[in-house]
Amino acid sequence: MIVPMFKYSLLVFHQDFPLFLKDLQELGVLHIIKNENVKLEGLSEKLEQCKKLDQTINILEKREIEEGELIISGDPNKIVDDINEKLDLYDLIIQELTEQTKEYKQLEPWGNFSKEVIQELRSKGLQVRFYISNKKNYDQIKENYLTELIREEKNQVYFIILQPGYLRPNIEASEIKLPDHSLEEITRSIDNQKTKIENINRQIDEYASSSLRLLRNESRKIKSDISFEEASQQTRKELDEKVMILEGWVPRNKKEQIDQYLEESSVLHIERKPTPKEHAPVLLQNNKFSKLFEPIGDLFSLPSYSELDLTIFFAPFFMLFFGFCLGDAGYGLLFVIGAGLYKMKAPQLFKPYLSLIQWFGVATFIMGSISGTAFGVNLIESEISWVDGMKKYFLAPTGMFNLALIVGGAQIIFGQCIKAANQIRQHGFKYALNTLGWLFIMIGGLIYMGLINLSMASYSKTVIYVLLGIGGFFIIFFSDPDAGIGGRIGQGIWSIYTTVTGVFGDLLSYIRLFALGLSSAILGFVINEIGMEILSASKILGPIFFVVFLLVGHTLNILIASLGSFIHPARLTFVEFYKNAGFTGGGKAYKPFETIHHEKII
C-alpha cells in the first residue's frame, strides 16, 4: 500500500532559519518540494568532490580488503588525489607492460642474443637478417645462403641469414624486424614493471584497509552539506526576505515526529492532505511477503500517489509464473535449500533477495509437482514404483497448456477489478462503469460455461442475456461519462473493438508460461539421456563423467531457464497485468531531507 502523505508549509523568521533547517535535517522526515525553475548555485565544486570520493570508495571496496584500524589524521582529499595518481601510474605501467610483453613474445623464439655483436657485424659489411618460413622453403634457402637455424616449431622455422652488402635476399620467407632491446633487457624490464605494480597494489590495499571509513564519512558529510544547501535555496523568501517559507511532504507514519518538533519549537505551519492534482511522493508499506517483490515493481515504475500499489496484487502471480516457467520440482528444492543455507552467512542486505529466491523455489516445486517433472525426469512416464500412486494427479502437457490460459484469464479479470477500484478511488463511481461492464461480460461468460457443464442450459441463456445487457449498456454509455450521447456511443463502440482484440491478445501471451516450462523440462530430459549414454560407455570412467556432465548440464539449464523464468513473468506483469489494471505509474519516491550519519570511528 501507499502511505498517506501530508503537505506541510513551514514559516520561519529569517534569523532562526539556519538553525531550524539543521534541526529539520536531523529530524529527517520532510520530503522537500523542489521548484524545478530554481537554479541551484555554488554546488558544482562539492558535487565534483563527492563524485571523486564515491568513485574512489567504489574502487577500494572492490578490492575486498578487510578493514583495519582507521588512521583518522589523514586528509580525505589528499588521500583521494594520491590514490588517483597511483591508479594513473598503474594504467601507464600496464600499457608499457603490454607493449613489452609483445616484444618479449617476438624475441622469445630467437633466444637471448647480443645486439652489440649484430651491430659490429653490420659495421663490417655483414647483414644479419631474421626470417620465418616453413620447413620446405627453408631447405631450399639454406642451399643458396649462409643460414643459421634458431628454432623449429612444428612446420615453422626461425632462422637468420648472414649476407655481405645491403641487397635483400629474394626468398620465400617473412623477414622479422626485432625490437631494439635484447631478450634479457626486456625480461628485466618486465620484472621491474611487475614489481612496480605490486607496490602500487600494496599501497592501495593499505588505503582500503585504513581509510575507507574516513572517505565514507567525508562523502556523507559532503552529501549532507549539499542537501542542506539545496533545501536552503529551495526556500521561498517573503516580506522583504524576513520570512522563509519551506514546503514538503511527511508520511502518516512519521507525522507525529514533526508535529512534536513543530509544537516544541513554536514554528508557524499549515498542514493538509494532498489534492487530486498534486503529485505527492510515494512511500510503499507492504507486508513481509509483498515487500520482497518491491524491487521487481521498481524495475518498471513506482505507482502514482493517487492510485493503488499493485505490489501486493502481482506478487502471488509473479511467484506462480516463475514456478510455471521453470517447472521442475527438483530445481525448486535446490532453490529453497541453497538460498536457505547461504542466508545463514549472507550480509543482511542480501537476505531479502535470498528469501525471494526461496519463494520462487516453493512455486517451482509446486508447479514441477503438478507437471510431474523433477531434475529432468518425466515422472508421468517413469517406472518408479512409489510414484505410481501420484500419477493420476499430474497434468499432461495439454493440461498445463489449459492451466496457463486459466491462470492468464484469472489475472486479466483480477486486473480489471483493480482497474475499477482505482477508477472509483481516483475519479468516482460513474467513471468505473465502463470497466464494470466488461467485468459483467467476462464473469457472465464464465458463469455461462459453468452452467452448461452442470447441465443447466435452461438457466444459462437467461443469465448470459442479463449480464450481457447490463455490461453492454455500461460499455456503450459510460466509456466517456463527460461526453455527449453521440460521443459516448462512439467511444463505447471503439472501446469494444480495442478491448476485445486486446484481451484475446493478452490471453494468448500467457501461453509462453506453458512453452517455457515445457522447454526447460525437455532440455533437462535431454541432459539425462546424454548422461545415461555416457554412463554406459565405460565401466570405469563412465560414472565419473556421468556425474560431472549431469552437474554441469543441469546447472546450465537452471541458469538459462531461471533467466527466462524471471524475464517473461516480468513482461506479463508490466504489460498485460498493468495494462488491464489501468496502471499509470510515474510516482516519485519519498526522499526525506535528512542528515547522513557517519560511521563510528575507532
Side-chain angles (χ1 to χ4, degrees):
M1 61 167 287
I2 298 175
V3 179
M5 291 284 170
F6 292 85
K7 186 175 182 179
Y8 280 75
S9 299
L10 310 171
L11 288 77
V12 185
F13 186 58
H14 71 100
Q15 290 183 342
D16 300 330
F17 188 71
L19 181 59
F20 164 77
L21 205 56
K22 279 290 183 185
D23 290 342
L24 202 61
Q25 188 177 30
E26 190 64 33
L27 192 64
V29 298
L30 184 74
H31 176 106
I32 294 175
I33 297 174
K34 295 182 179 180
N35 185 349
E36 301 298 335
N37 297 323
V38 173
K39 187 176 181 180
L40 300 176
E41 299 177 354
L43 296 177
S44 57
E45 185 177 340
K46 286 188 176 182
L47 288 169
E48 183 62 29
Q49 186 182 1
C50 191
K51 180 181 176 182
K52 287 176 64 177
L53 273 165
D54 287 344
Q55 288 174 342
T56 305
I57 289 168
N58 187 44
I59 290 168
L60 296 182
E61 286 177 338
K62 285 182 178 179
R63 302 185 81 86
E64 297 182 352
I65 302 297
E66 185 176 350
E67 294 184 41
E69 192 171 331
L70 180 63
I71 301 172
I72 61 174
S73 58
D75 182 343
N77 295 319
K78 287 183 179 179
I79 291 174
V80 169
D81 291 339
D82 190 37
I83 291 173
N84 286 329
E85 286 176 9
K86 285 179 168 53
L87 290 174
D88 291 340
L89 179 60
Y90 178 90
D91 291 338
L92 183 61
I93 293 173
I94 288 294
Q95 291 176 11
E96 293 176 355
L97 184 60
T98 303
E99 292 299 320
Q100 289 171 353
T101 303
K102 289 180 182 177
E103 292 181 357
Y104 178 87
K105 288 180 179 179
Q106 280 183 291
L107 281 169
E108 196 269 337
W110 304 96
N112 193 28
F113 58 87
S114 173
K115 285 283 185 179
E116 289 76 13
V117 173
I118 293 175
Q119 291 297 333
E120 187 177 348
L121 289 172
R122 285 175 177 171
S123 67
K124 294 179 178 180
L126 271 177
Q127 296 298 317
V128 182
R129 302 182 186 278
F130 298 78
Y131 290 94
I132 300 176
S133 180
N134 59 45
K135 183 71 170 60
K136 181 180 179 182
N137 289 340
Y138 174 70
D139 290 339
Q140 295 175 355
I141 293 168
K142 69 180 181 180
E143 294 177 1
N144 301 313
Y145 295 92
L146 180 59
T147 64
E148 180 66 29
L149 178 65
I150 304 299
R151 176 176 292 190
E152 185 174 346
E153 293 180 352
K154 296 182 180 178
N155 193 40
Q156 199 167 48
V157 178
Y158 296 81
F159 65 95
I160 62 173
I161 293 179
L162 280 81
Q163 180 188 33
Y166 292 95
L167 291 176
R168 296 181 182 277
N170 186 18
I171 59 176
E172 292 187 17
S174 301
E175 185 174 2
I176 304 300
K177 179 173 174 54
L178 295 179
D180 294 330
H181 306 287
S182 68
L183 187 64
E184 183 180 357
E185 290 172 338
I186 290 179
T187 302
R188 192 163 51 246
S189 179
I190 287 174
D191 291 340
N192 185 43
Q193 301 288 44
K194 288 181 178 178
T195 301
K196 290 180 180 178
I197 289 173
E198 289 175 2
N199 289 334
I200 291 174
N201 278 324
R202 178 179 51 77
Q203 291 168 353
I204 294 177
D205 286 346
E206 288 175 359
Y207 275 128
S209 174
S210 66
S211 302
L212 252 177
R213 276 176 288 175
L214 179 66
L215 299 183
R216 289 196 194 106
N217 282 346
E218 182 67 13
S219 175
R220 291 185 176 98
K221 179 180 177 300
I222 294 172
K223 287 175 181 175
S224 291
D225 292 343
I226 291 172
S227 180
F228 184 88
E229 289 296 326
E230 286 181 339
S232 180
Q233 294 184 37
Q234 290 290 346
T235 306
R236 288 205 326 266
K237 302 175 179 63
E238 302 290 347
L239 300 176
D240 296 329
E241 300 189 359
K242 297 294 184 183
V243 176
M244 316 296 279
I245 301 177
L246 187 65
E247 293 185 315
W249 300 97
V250 177
R252 182 175 62 187
N253 56 358
K254 297 183 179 181
K255 186 176 182 297
E256 185 178 346
Q257 299 176 45
I258 194 169
D259 286 344
Q260 183 179 351
Y261 168 74
L262 294 175
E263 184 178 348
E264 291 174 355
S265 57
S266 301
V267 173
L268 183 62
H269 64 279
I270 302 171
E271 65 170 276
R272 62 173 175 80
K273 293 182 179 180
T275 64
K277 293 184 178 181
E278 287 183 309
H279 300 288
V282 175
L283 175 64
L284 302 182
Q285 188 178 50
N286 288 299
N287 59 38
K288 191 175 181 180
F289 171 74
S290 301
K291 194 171 183 64
L292 299 174
F293 291 81
E294 286 181 6
I296 296 175
D298 291 344
L299 292 174
F300 187 80
S301 172
L302 282 172
S304 67
Y305 177 78
S306 59
E307 64 182 339
L308 292 171
D309 172 26
L310 299 187
T311 306
I312 193 172
F313 302 118
F314 79 71
F317 282 102
F318 196 101
M319 187 182 79
L320 176 65
F321 294 164
F322 185 96
F324 214 125
C325 292
L326 194 53
D328 188 294
Y331 293 169
L333 281 177
L334 288 180
F335 275 41
V336 174
I337 296 171
L341 292 174
Y342 182 56
K343 195 159 60 171
M344 295 178 183
K345 295 185 177 181
Q348 189 62 37
L349 180 66
F350 295 136
K351 288 186 178 180
Y353 298 102
L354 294 171
S355 296
L356 183 62
I357 290 173
Q358 287 185 296
W359 279 111
F360 286 159
V362 170
T364 304
F365 176 78
I366 293 172
M367 296 310 298
S369 300
I370 291 173
S371 64
T373 306
F375 294 112
V377 177
N378 186 350
L379 299 178
I380 298 177
E381 299 178 0
S382 69
E383 297 180 0
I384 304 172
S385 57
W386 59 269
V387 178
D388 290 340
M390 297 185 290
K391 287 184 178 180
K392 60 184 177 180
Y393 299 110
F394 296 146
L395 288 182
T398 304
M400 295 300 291
F401 178 87
N402 293 332
L403 182 60
L405 292 179
I406 291 169
V407 170
Q411 193 183 42
I412 289 172
I413 293 173
F414 185 56
Q416 290 287 321
C417 293
I418 295 172
K419 183 179 181 180
N422 248 331
Q423 289 170 328
I424 294 171
R425 174 180 173 174
Q426 291 176 300
H427 309 294
F429 185 76
K430 69 176 181 179
Y431 292 92
L433 289 175
N434 173 265
T435 305
L436 291 173
W438 284 111
L439 282 172
F440 274 114
I441 291 174
M442 292 177 185
I443 295 172
L446 294 176
I447 294 174
Y448 176 77
M449 288 187 290
L451 292 173
I452 291 292
N453 290 332
L454 293 172
S455 301
M456 299 174 67
S458 57
Y459 298 101
S460 62
K461 289 185 179 180
T462 303
V463 171
I464 195 66
Y465 288 154
V466 170
L467 292 176
L468 281 176
I470 296 172
F473 177 78
F474 287 161
I475 293 168
I476 294 294
F477 293 100
F478 288 93
S479 288
D480 185 0
D482 297 327
I485 188 67
R488 290 190 181 200
I489 294 173
Q491 189 66 29
I493 294 172
W494 176 249
S495 174
I496 292 172
Y497 170 75
T498 56
T499 304
V500 169
T501 55
V503 167
F504 277 108
D506 294 343
L507 189 59
L508 292 176
S509 294
Y510 288 87
I511 296 175
R512 72 182 72 241
L513 297 173
F514 160 75
L516 284 167
L518 184 63
S519 64
S520 173
I522 291 173
L523 189 54
F525 174 77
V526 171
I527 291 169
N528 290 340
E529 286 292 304
I530 297 174
M532 293 303 296
E533 291 181 8
I534 293 173
L535 180 63
S536 61
S538 171
K539 291 184 178 180
I540 299 174
L541 297 177
I544 298 173
F545 286 110
F546 168 73
V547 173
V548 172
F549 179 78
L550 287 187
L551 287 174
V552 173
H554 281 294
T555 298
L556 290 175
N557 190 26
I558 289 172
L559 293 174
I560 295 169
S562 296
L563 182 62
S565 299
F566 183 86
I567 291 174
H568 292 289
R571 184 196 180 280
L572 291 172
T573 298
F574 299 148
V575 178
E576 276 74 23
F577 179 61
Y578 273 19
K579 179 180 69 175
N580 283 289
F583 182 81
T584 56
K588 293 185 178 181
Y590 164 72
K591 293 181 179 179
F593 172 55
E594 60 183 345
T595 301
I596 305 174
H597 294 285
H598 296 178
E599 284 186 85
K600 185 178 180 181
I601 296 175
I602 300 174

